[in-house]
Amino acid sequence: MDEEGQIDFHFDKPNCTNEDYVKFMRKTGLFDLMENHIVNNLVDYVTGIETGLDSNGRKNRGGHLMENLVESFLCKTGLVKGVDYFKEMYIHEIEAKWGIDLSSISNNGGAEKRFDFVVKGENIIYGIETNFYTSSGSKLNETARSYKTITMETKDLEYFKFVWFTDGCGWRSAKNNLKETFDVLEHLYNIADLENGIISKALV
């Protein structure tokens, strides 16, 4: 999955052209791994990645992948880093840069929140959070509740909107918590929304 879309590759019963598989090997870096003898056993390596995505030791790997995916769509929309969108900004930095008041989120300066991305719309600043959950757990419920709180704290601000991009099969076991946030958060999107151009439709 990348900014060009999603392709499901099957290796037991090939469903794509040879050229597609070559492109897959090249873009994932597997050719490089084998050519440069970085790994000795490709099967163990790939199995380790799948295990790592679900393990606590690499619990944020999926989150970083989602961040990269969202950023690729921000760029694809034509937004320029450092001009139209900014990465990892704290509340006090947002307030200082655009002269707005976000004390409703920061508890009057008592708490410091950092957003994964901030997008400067025509008349609105968008604070964006991204995550991807491959497995269930208490973290999903905590995140949904936390983001519902941010939504309620900013719902009356005309100059700032909270945006959440999330996805992953982990949400299947936490649908009720996700729905609670979905019911109050206008800008809650998944990967399919990104592919369908939601950034250009809703944020810029």
Side-chain angles (χ1 to χ4, degrees), residues 22-71:
V22 168
K23 185 177 181 181
F24 170 84
M25 296 288 285
R26 184 176 296 113
K27 292 188 77 171
T28 56
L30 290 174
F31 275 147
D32 185 53
L33 286 172
M34 291 185 289
E35 288 169 356
N36 296 299
H37 307 289
I38 297 173
V39 293
N40 295 319
N41 188 317
L42 188 58
V43 174
D44 287 350
Y45 175 79
V46 174
T47 303
I49 288 180
E50 291 192 4
T51 303
L53 284 171
D54 282 338
S55 70
N56 287 329
R58 294 169 178 82
K59 60 185 177 181
N60 204 30
R61 182 176 285 176
H64 288 311
L65 292 173
M66 188 67 172
E67 274 187 36
N68 293 340
L69 185 65
V70 169
E71 186 167 15

Side-chain angles (χ1 to χ4, degrees), residues 149-165:
T149 299
I150 294 176
T151 303
M152 302 308 293
E153 290 172 342
T154 59
K155 65 183 177 65
D156 294 327
L157 302 181
E158 296 180 356
Y159 47 81
F160 181 89
K161 296 297 178 186
F162 177 53
V163 183
W164 183 18
F165 290 105

Side-chain angles (χ1 to χ4, degrees), residues 106-131:
S106 66
N107 192 23
N108 293 314
E112 186 65 296
K113 165 72 182 166
R114 186 185 74 177
F115 291 97
D116 292 332
F117 298 100
V118 175
V119 170
K120 174 66 173 72
E122 188 172 347
N123 299 306
I124 297 174
I125 305 297
Y126 296 95
I128 299 174
E129 284 292 327
T130 68
N131 39 55

